[in-house]
Amino acid sequence: MGDVRNVDVVVIGLGVGGEEAAGRLAAAGLDVIGVEHNLVGGECPYWGCIPTKMMVRAGSALAEARRIPGLAGTATVEPDWAPVARRVREQATDDWNDKVAVDRFTGKGGTFVRGRATITGPGRVRVGEQEYAASRALVVATGTVAVIPPIDGLAGTPYWTNREAVETTTLPESLVILGGGAIGCEFAQVFVRFGVQVTIIEGSGRILAMEEPESSEVAASVIGATIRTGVRATKVSHDGGFTVELSDGSTVSGEKLLVATGRAARLGDLGLETVGLDPSARFLTTDDRMRAGEGVWAVGDVTGNGAFTHMAMYEADIAVRDILGQGGPGADYRARPRVTFIDPEIGAVGLTFAQASEQLANVKVGHVPLSYTSRGFVHGPGNEGFIKVVADMDRGVLVGATTAGPAGGEMIGALAVAVHAEVPITTLLSQIWAYPTFHRGIGDALKAL
């Protein structure tokens, strides 16, 4: 065992939230150790947000070309995965090399350590043979890993997670996806648009089950995959291809199998019990300053407040300010935004109608199909979508909203501000909405209240 090195802060996990926190604390002049066993930057830049949105963009380009007949003439489209895979490898991930990210962190004054960290006591962390003692803070930002369900026969087969799906340089002829959440739906539509026959298996009654029912309906109508809901995989076999037995007795087959059944925080092997935290917990519970315990802060996916890059950045900012004693607002999760990047994009913020109805006494919704708006009419093919607002009528404010359409992820921004700032509905109704825009439909949805 080497000598103990005294430092100010140790950050365990340099995904989006950890890198942000470690970099800012180092730039503020603290002696910061950043520990990462995989790639600095985490899931988002290498296997998540950035490469998958490159894939989505490529699929959307194909879809737009296929909409040319009836709009602008004729077009012949020949999908080719090679430029997509090349762009992911060369532009998004540097062939899954994190040198740029490591240099970015060390350039701010931090010390990078590659390896797995174990907490050995208050403020103390061991990586390999070296132990560190942090006098100011220990930040846990270890992210999540893909959940692999205990399905008979699945273990040991060459199934895909999001990582293999992003890294693939060739596409299969057919693909079975377990899970109809945002990840499953995004991959499904991309691969369908490149000619893959896709089947989604979703155990609940609808895909995108955590969103509004209208979101599920829109997604089901545009993804292009065969969608099986209300059934679960009970057995998997692999012999050159995959066969999946379902709970209703039927089977589905595909050349490849993608498991997209959720993600779970990695906490069990960190040594959390040495600082009074429960290593068997699903997530780390924090207060509004991201404090998980005495001298311990947690940010990002491990907090269970939404597995999104923007949430990790948000929480990292709060933790940094608290560690530096800068004050400022604490965590407020009323207006959590999220986007499912299918075509049409489905943006959402705050509570769904069902969630609001469980918490509030007087809830109303306003809804308008996007095709009913002037911009939706002008847009024509590809104008599937809607705008839905959820209001607490007793307080006269919005508590949630969904915007589905060609610019659904952008439209939700205005409504996120309204929910976060609790802008009175009367104020929103008096606003001038530019014409003819997709977001003008927000005014129409508000009038429906």
Side-chain angles (χ1 to χ4, degrees):
M1 183 70 66
D3 295 335
V4 175
R5 176 176 168 182
N6 294 309
V7 297
D8 294 318
V9 179
V10 175
V11 179
I12 304 176
L14 294 182
V16 172
E19 183 188 354
E20 174 73 4
R24 285 181 53 187
L25 290 169
L30 298 187
D31 186 0
V32 179
I33 301 293
V35 185
E36 175 57 54
H37 75 280
N38 204 323
L39 298 181
V40 174
E43 204 76 12
C44 174
Y46 302 105
W47 300 284
C49 320
I50 302 304
T52 60
K53 291 347 165 239
M54 285 184 170
M55 295 161 66
V56 167
R57 169 70 176 119
S60 297
L62 292 175
E64 276 297 282
R66 290 164 180 153
R67 290 167 181 151
I68 287 176
L71 277 178
T74 60
T76 301
V77 182
E78 294 293 336
D80 181 1
W81 188 250
V84 184
R86 184 168 56 250
R87 190 175 182 221
V88 166
R89 183 179 66 255
E90 296 177 359
Q91 297 183 25
T93 68
D94 285 339
D95 203 11
W96 291 274
N97 184 304
D98 64 351
K99 182 181 185 305
V100 171
V102 172
D103 290 347
R104 182 170 58 230
F105 170 56
T106 58
K108 295 175 181 177
T111 299
F112 174 63
V113 177
R114 183 91 65 186
R116 290 189 178 273
T118 301
I119 302 169
T120 58
R124 298 179 78 91
V125 176
R126 186 177 68 249
V127 185
E129 296 300 311
Q130 179 66 59
E131 187 154 3
Y132 302 92
S135 61
R136 291 279 291 269
L138 173 61
V139 181
V140 179
T142 48
T144 55
V145 294
V147 171
I148 308 302
I151 301 170
D152 183 23
L154 178 61
T157 66
Y159 61 82
W160 282 358
T161 65
N162 64 298
R163 293 194 172 192
E164 290 77 18
V166 166
E167 291 179 10
T168 189
T169 57
T170 59
L171 295 184
E173 291 187 1
S174 56
L175 174 70
V176 177
I177 299 178
L178 302 184
I183 294 174
C185 288
E186 288 179 12
F187 277 122
Q189 189 180 60
V190 167
F191 290 138
V192 164
R193 287 177 164 177
F194 277 86
V196 180
Q197 294 181 346
V198 178
T199 302
I200 297 175
I201 308 300
E202 170 55 47
S204 62
R206 57 188 176 93
I207 59 175
L208 297 184
M210 302 302 292
E211 301 297 345
E212 297 283 8
E214 296 94 332
S215 298
S216 303
E217 294 170 6
V218 167
S221 71
V222 301
I223 286 175
T226 298
I227 299 173
R228 300 286 305 276
T229 57
V231 291
R232 298 182 181 276
T234 58
K235 186 176 182 180
V236 171
S237 58
H238 179 262
D239 184 11
F242 286 88
T243 299
V244 182
E245 297 182 17
L246 303 178
S247 54
D248 64 356
S250 64
T251 63
V252 296
S253 298
E255 182 182 339
K256 296 291 184 180
L257 175 68
L258 169 60
V259 179
T261 50
R263 301 185 66 83
R266 184 179 68 83
L267 299 176
D269 60 351
L270 291 178
L272 291 171
E273 65 279 2
T274 66
V275 289
L277 300 176
D278 183 3
S280 65
R282 186 178 179 189
F283 299 106
L284 286 179
T285 301
T286 63
D287 64 12
D288 69 343
R289 300 293 168 178
M290 309 316 304
R291 300 169 184 159
E294 183 67 31
V296 181
W297 285 256
V299 301
D301 295 4
V302 295
T303 68
N305 293 315
F308 305 107
T309 292
H310 50 271
M311 293 304 301
M313 297 285 283
Y314 174 74
E315 292 181 340
D317 174 67
I318 296 169
V320 166
R321 286 190 282 104
D322 193 50
I323 293 168
L324 295 177
Q326 294 176 343
D332 179 354
Y333 297 109
R334 292 174 302 108
R336 278 179 280 201
R338 54 205 181 270
V339 181
T340 301
F341 289 91
I342 60 172
D343 175 16
E345 291 179 356
I346 299 176
V349 65
L351 303 177
T352 63
F353 172 64
Q355 292 167 336
S357 297
E358 292 177 354
Q359 301 177 28
L360 304 169
N362 187 8
V363 179
K364 288 187 67 176
V365 300
H367 179 278
V368 58
L370 203 68
S371 60
Y372 284 22
T373 68
S374 296
R375 180 63 181 275
F377 168 74
V378 169
H379 193 81
N383 68 355
E384 298 91 349
F386 65 93
I387 299 173
K388 182 176 183 177
V389 293
V390 181
D392 176 359
M393 299 307 290
D394 287 338
R395 292 188 298 137
V397 297
L398 298 182
V399 293
T402 299
T403 51
E410 305 303 326
M411 285 192 291
I412 202 62
L415 289 166
V417 171
V419 173
H420 176 72
E422 297 185 320
V423 180
I425 294 172
T426 52
T427 301
L428 296 173
L429 284 168
S430 69
Q431 181 170 327
I432 302 170
W433 304 92
Y435 180 92
T437 60
F438 287 120
H439 74 254
R440 184 175 173 82
I442 294 173
D444 296 328
L446 290 166
K447 291 176 183 176
L449 291 172

